[in-house]
mmCIF file of all heavy atoms in Angstrom:
data_model
loop_
_atom_site.group_PDB
_atom_site.id
_atom_site.type_symbol
_atom_site.label_atom_id
_atom_site.label_comp_id
_atom_site.label_asym_id
_atom_site.label_seq_id
_atom_site.Cartn_x
_atom_site.Cartn_y
_atom_site.Cartn_z
ATOM 1 N N VAL A 42 51.348 -110.103 0.179
ATOM 2 C CA VAL A 42 51.304 -110.090 -1.280
ATOM 3 C C VAL A 42 49.841 -110.151 -1.726
ATOM 4 O O VAL A 42 49.015 -110.776 -1.054
ATOM 5 C CB VAL A 42 52.117 -111.263 -1.870
ATOM 6 C CG1 VAL A 42 51.562 -112.600 -1.430
ATOM 7 C CG2 VAL A 42 52.176 -111.193 -3.393
ATOM 8 N N SER A 46 42.689 -112.640 -9.508
ATOM 9 C CA SER A 46 42.555 -113.729 -10.467
ATOM 10 C C SER A 46 41.098 -113.860 -10.887
ATOM 11 O O SER A 46 40.189 -113.791 -10.051
ATOM 12 C CB SER A 46 43.053 -115.042 -9.859
ATOM 13 O OG SER A 46 43.150 -116.046 -10.846
ATOM 14 N N GLU A 65 39.157 -136.282 -16.389
ATOM 15 C CA GLU A 65 38.924 -137.443 -17.251
ATOM 16 C C GLU A 65 38.874 -137.050 -18.730
ATOM 17 O O GLU A 65 39.001 -137.903 -19.595
ATOM 18 C CB GLU A 65 37.613 -138.141 -16.860
ATOM 19 C CG GLU A 65 37.663 -138.856 -15.516
ATOM 20 C CD GLU A 65 38.455 -140.156 -15.556
ATOM 21 O OE1 GLU A 65 39.115 -140.443 -16.576
ATOM 22 O OE2 GLU A 65 38.416 -140.894 -14.568
ATOM 23 N N LEU A 99 36.749 -112.966 4.588
ATOM 24 C CA LEU A 99 36.043 -112.654 3.350
ATOM 25 C C LEU A 99 35.282 -111.355 3.527
ATOM 26 O O LEU A 99 34.460 -111.232 4.444
ATOM 27 C CB LEU A 99 35.075 -113.779 2.978
ATOM 28 C CG LEU A 99 34.162 -113.515 1.778
ATOM 29 C CD1 LEU A 99 34.969 -113.395 0.491
ATOM 30 C CD2 LEU A 99 33.096 -114.597 1.644
ATOM 31 N N ALA A 120 53.754 -130.900 -0.249
ATOM 32 C CA ALA A 120 54.971 -131.479 -0.837
ATOM 33 C C ALA A 120 55.619 -130.521 -1.833
ATOM 34 O O ALA A 120 56.839 -130.565 -2.041
ATOM 35 C CB ALA A 120 54.634 -132.794 -1.524
ATOM 36 N N HIS A 129 52.463 -118.417 9.710
ATOM 37 C CA HIS A 129 51.035 -118.168 9.938
ATOM 38 C C HIS A 129 50.560 -117.288 8.792
ATOM 39 O O HIS A 129 51.220 -116.310 8.424
ATOM 40 C CB HIS A 129 50.788 -117.455 11.265
ATOM 41 C CG HIS A 129 49.347 -117.050 11.434
ATOM 42 N ND1 HIS A 129 48.356 -117.941 11.747
ATOM 43 C CD2 HIS A 129 48.738 -115.830 11.284
ATOM 44 C CE1 HIS A 129 47.195 -117.314 11.800
ATOM 45 N NE2 HIS A 129 47.401 -116.031 11.526
ATOM 46 N N ILE A 132 44.583 -114.889 5.225
ATOM 47 C CA ILE A 132 44.057 -114.880 3.855
ATOM 48 C C ILE A 132 42.867 -113.932 3.816
ATOM 49 O O ILE A 132 41.798 -114.223 4.355
ATOM 50 C CB ILE A 132 43.620 -116.299 3.435
ATOM 51 C CG1 ILE A 132 44.772 -117.293 3.603
ATOM 52 C CG2 ILE A 132 43.115 -116.301 1.998
ATOM 53 C CD1 ILE A 132 44.331 -118.752 3.551
ATOM 54 N N PHE A 138 32.265 -109.859 -7.811
ATOM 55 C CA PHE A 138 30.873 -110.214 -8.087
ATOM 56 C C PHE A 138 30.208 -110.579 -6.768
ATOM 57 O O PHE A 138 30.884 -110.985 -5.821
ATOM 58 C CB PHE A 138 30.794 -111.376 -9.087
ATOM 59 C CG PHE A 138 31.683 -112.543 -8.761
ATOM 60 C CD1 PHE A 138 31.216 -113.605 -7.999
ATOM 61 C CD2 PHE A 138 32.992 -112.580 -9.216
ATOM 62 C CE1 PHE A 138 32.041 -114.688 -7.695
ATOM 63 C CE2 PHE A 138 33.823 -113.657 -8.932
ATOM 64 C CZ PHE A 138 33.337 -114.709 -8.166
ATOM 65 N N ALA A 178 64.550 -115.652 -8.796
ATOM 66 C CA ALA A 178 63.111 -115.821 -9.013
ATOM 67 C C ALA A 178 62.883 -116.818 -10.130
ATOM 68 O O ALA A 178 63.706 -116.974 -11.024
ATOM 69 C CB ALA A 178 62.470 -114.482 -9.366
ATOM 70 N N ALA A 192 46.860 -124.492 -8.138
ATOM 71 C CA ALA A 192 45.449 -124.095 -8.137
ATOM 72 C C ALA A 192 44.548 -125.286 -8.425
ATOM 73 O O ALA A 192 43.479 -125.437 -7.834
ATOM 74 C CB ALA A 192 45.219 -122.979 -9.163
ATOM 75 N N LYS A 215 46.155 -133.105 -30.053
ATOM 76 C CA LYS A 215 46.274 -132.050 -31.065
ATOM 77 C C LYS A 215 46.651 -130.693 -30.468
ATOM 78 O O LYS A 215 46.770 -129.711 -31.184
ATOM 79 C CB LYS A 215 44.954 -131.910 -31.832
ATOM 80 C CG LYS A 215 44.531 -133.147 -32.602
ATOM 81 C CD LYS A 215 45.394 -133.365 -33.827
ATOM 82 C CE LYS A 215 44.809 -134.395 -34.764
ATOM 83 N NZ LYS A 215 45.145 -135.763 -34.430
ATOM 84 N N VAL A 245 19.865 -116.595 -12.750
ATOM 85 C CA VAL A 245 18.541 -117.221 -12.646
ATOM 86 C C VAL A 245 18.248 -117.649 -11.221
ATOM 87 O O VAL A 245 17.131 -117.512 -10.721
ATOM 88 C CB VAL A 245 18.456 -118.430 -13.602
ATOM 89 C CG1 VAL A 245 17.158 -119.201 -13.407
ATOM 90 C CG2 VAL A 245 18.590 -117.964 -15.046
ATOM 91 N N MET A 261 30.417 -139.529 -12.200
ATOM 92 C CA MET A 261 30.823 -139.941 -13.537
ATOM 93 C C MET A 261 31.591 -141.261 -13.529
ATOM 94 O O MET A 261 31.770 -141.895 -14.568
ATOM 95 C CB MET A 261 31.686 -138.858 -14.187
ATOM 96 C CG MET A 261 30.909 -137.625 -14.632
ATOM 97 S SD MET A 261 29.726 -137.987 -15.958
ATOM 98 C CE MET A 261 30.824 -138.142 -17.365
ATOM 99 N N PHE A 293 30.975 -122.708 -34.009
ATOM 100 C CA PHE A 293 31.304 -122.451 -32.604
ATOM 101 C C PHE A 293 30.058 -122.579 -31.735
ATOM 102 O O PHE A 293 30.068 -123.247 -30.690
ATOM 103 C CB PHE A 293 31.903 -121.046 -32.471
ATOM 104 C CG PHE A 293 32.174 -120.595 -31.059
ATOM 105 C CD1 PHE A 293 33.278 -121.062 -30.364
ATOM 106 C CD2 PHE A 293 31.336 -119.682 -30.433
ATOM 107 C CE1 PHE A 293 33.539 -120.637 -29.069
ATOM 108 C CE2 PHE A 293 31.581 -119.246 -29.145
ATOM 109 C CZ PHE A 293 32.686 -119.722 -28.458
ATOM 110 N N MET A 309 21.548 -135.546 -15.398
ATOM 111 C CA MET A 309 20.193 -136.102 -15.386
ATOM 112 C C MET A 309 20.169 -137.610 -15.586
ATOM 113 O O MET A 309 19.151 -138.258 -15.349
ATOM 114 C CB MET A 309 19.336 -135.408 -16.450
ATOM 115 C CG MET A 309 19.015 -133.959 -16.097
ATOM 116 S SD MET A 309 17.816 -133.196 -17.227
ATOM 117 C CE MET A 309 18.892 -132.745 -18.593
ATOM 118 N N SER A 311 22.847 -139.656 -14.345
ATOM 119 C CA SER A 311 23.714 -140.320 -13.367
ATOM 120 C C SER A 311 22.836 -141.030 -12.333
ATOM 121 O O SER A 311 21.608 -140.941 -12.372
ATOM 122 C CB SER A 311 24.634 -139.296 -12.698
ATOM 123 O OG SER A 311 23.870 -138.344 -11.964
ATOM 124 N N TYR A 314 20.382 -139.320 -9.959
ATOM 125 C CA TYR A 314 20.252 -138.286 -10.968
ATOM 126 C C TYR A 314 19.794 -136.986 -10.320
ATOM 127 O O TYR A 314 19.203 -136.981 -9.233
ATOM 128 C CB TYR A 314 19.250 -138.727 -12.049
ATOM 129 C CG TYR A 314 18.011 -139.386 -11.504
ATOM 130 C CD1 TYR A 314 16.959 -138.630 -10.993
ATOM 131 C CD2 TYR A 314 17.907 -140.786 -11.479
ATOM 132 C CE1 TYR A 314 15.830 -139.237 -10.486
ATOM 133 C CE2 TYR A 314 16.767 -141.395 -10.960
ATOM 134 C CZ TYR A 314 15.732 -140.625 -10.469
ATOM 135 O OH TYR A 314 14.617 -141.228 -9.945
ATOM 136 N N ILE A 316 18.766 -132.541 -11.352
ATOM 137 C CA ILE A 316 18.549 -131.475 -12.336
ATOM 138 C C ILE A 316 18.912 -130.145 -11.681
ATOM 139 O O ILE A 316 18.320 -129.781 -10.657
ATOM 140 C CB ILE A 316 17.084 -131.440 -12.823
ATOM 141 C CG1 ILE A 316 16.712 -132.764 -13.497
ATOM 142 C CG2 ILE A 316 16.879 -130.271 -13.794
ATOM 143 C CD1 ILE A 316 15.239 -132.864 -13.877
ATOM 144 N N SER A 331 15.105 -118.489 -30.395
ATOM 145 C CA SER A 331 14.149 -117.741 -31.228
ATOM 146 C C SER A 331 14.761 -116.437 -31.733
ATOM 147 O O SER A 331 14.615 -116.072 -32.908
ATOM 148 C CB SER A 331 12.879 -117.438 -30.426
ATOM 149 O OG SER A 331 12.214 -118.628 -30.079
ATOM 150 N N VAL A 350 22.749 -118.733 -16.681
ATOM 151 C CA VAL A 350 23.024 -118.835 -18.109
ATOM 152 C C VAL A 350 24.077 -117.806 -18.503
ATOM 153 O O VAL A 350 23.946 -116.621 -18.194
ATOM 154 C CB VAL A 350 21.746 -118.599 -18.942
ATOM 155 C CG1 VAL A 350 22.047 -118.732 -20.430
ATOM 156 C CG2 VAL A 350 20.643 -119.570 -18.527
ATOM 157 N N ILE A 366 18.513 -108.687 -24.084
ATOM 158 C CA ILE A 366 18.578 -109.134 -22.686
ATOM 159 C C ILE A 366 17.671 -108.273 -21.819
ATOM 160 O O ILE A 366 16.888 -108.777 -21.004
ATOM 161 C CB ILE A 366 20.035 -109.104 -22.184
ATOM 162 C CG1 ILE A 366 20.831 -110.245 -22.836
ATOM 163 C CG2 ILE A 366 20.087 -109.224 -20.657
ATOM 164 C CD1 ILE A 366 22.323 -110.172 -22.591
#
Side-chain angles (χ1 to χ4, degrees):
V42 61
S46 190
E65 290 285 9
L99 174 66
H129 173 76
I132 305 165
F138 48 92
K215 298 288 193 275
V245 173
M261 287 295 285
F293 175 77
M309 290 188 279
S311 63
Y314 43 80
I316 299 174
S331 296
V350 181
I366 288 170

